[in-house]
């Protein structure tokens, strides 16, 4: 698996975490079920996105595992506006069936960031409190274009990352 594939997969997860909306309503007879925490978080995030510059933000759809997410083609390649970022975290927590990063894994992720900075990328972003690294547009471009310096830095530092959690 290439670095580009790994980074793209990670960014897709981050993008999905940043991209949710209001689900379609159930028109069947009977009372509406109480939304799951994942669905409720998706609704709150979609409302925020629509109120903060993304008026056509899509509705979430329920996947085959019962989680609310968005088709990747509808969300684009963007970062959520600042007021919506806490809601992204809430949605990720409600969506994920992977436990939050341990203190040890978070320390390893921070060690990876330090390594990337030492290998020529002093502005490489810090991980959030869950151990996720939200790449800026600059680093997305470097990963997407298979930039030799970026790939070399990642290859030199990747052994510092914690193992990927199993779902």
């Amino acid at each position: 698996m290439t670095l580009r594939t790994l980074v793209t997969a990670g960014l897709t997860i981050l993008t999905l975490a940043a991209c949710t909306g209001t689900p379609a309503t159930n028109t069947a007879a009977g009372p509406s079920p109480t939304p799951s925490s994942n669905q409720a978080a998706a609704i709150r995030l979609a409302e925020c996105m629509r109120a903060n510059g993304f008026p056509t933000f899509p509705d979430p759809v329920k996947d085959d595992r019962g989680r609310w997410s968005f088709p990747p083609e509808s969300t684009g390649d963007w970062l959520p506006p600042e007021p919506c970022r806490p809601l992204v975290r809430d949605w990720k927590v409600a969506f994920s069936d992977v436990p939050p990063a341990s203190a040890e894994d978070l320390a390893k992720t921070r060690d990876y960031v330090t390594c990337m900075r030492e290998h020529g990328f002093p502005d490489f972003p810090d991980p959030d409190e869950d151990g996720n690294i939200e790449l800026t547009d600059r680093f997305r471009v470097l990963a997407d274009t298979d930039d030799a310096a970026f790939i070399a830095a990642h290859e030199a530092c990747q052994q510092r990352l914690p193992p990927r959690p199993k779902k």
Side-chain angles (χ1 to χ4, degrees):
M1 192 174 275
T2 67
L3 173 62
R4 182 178 181 171
T5 304
L6 289 171
V7 171
T8 301
L11 292 175
T12 299
I13 292 168
L14 289 175
T15 299
L16 287 174
C19 303
T20 60
T22 307
T25 57
N26 181 357
T27 57
S32 297
T34 303
S36 68
S37 61
N38 172 236
Q39 182 183 11
I43 292 167
R44 285 190 303 274
L45 180 56
E47 290 170 350
C48 182
M49 293 298 294
R50 290 174 180 152
N52 286 280
F54 294 89
T56 61
F57 199 77
D59 290 338
V61 293
K62 197 172 193 179
D63 69 14
D64 60 349
R65 294 177 71 186
R67 300 177 303 187
W68 292 90
S69 61
F70 291 87
E73 67 275 4
S74 67
T75 57
D77 190 20
W78 49 269
L79 293 175
E82 190 64 39
C84 302
R85 289 187 182 170
L87 299 174
V88 171
R89 181 183 183 280
D90 293 346
W91 181 81
K92 287 188 324 188
V93 168
F95 182 84
S96 178
D97 51 5
V98 175
S102 67
E104 179 183 351
D105 285 351
L106 185 55
K108 288 179 182 179
T109 303
R110 288 183 179 134
D111 190 36
Y112 169 80
V113 168
T114 299
C115 182
M116 290 295 288
R117 291 174 179 168
E118 291 169 351
H119 280 83
F121 298 96
D123 57 335
F124 197 79
D126 287 316
D128 65 16
E129 63 273 5
D130 294 320
N132 299 309
I133 300 171
E134 186 174 313
L135 295 180
T136 62
D137 289 340
R138 169 174 133 68
F139 290 108
R140 289 179 187 186
V141 169
L142 292 174
D144 287 345
T145 59
D146 291 329
D147 179 81
F150 186 75
I151 291 170
H154 173 72
E155 288 176 353
C157 300
Q158 70 181 354
Q159 77 277 1
R160 297 181 184 204
L161 285 170
R164 291 185 57 92
K166 295 179 181 169
K167 290 190 176 190

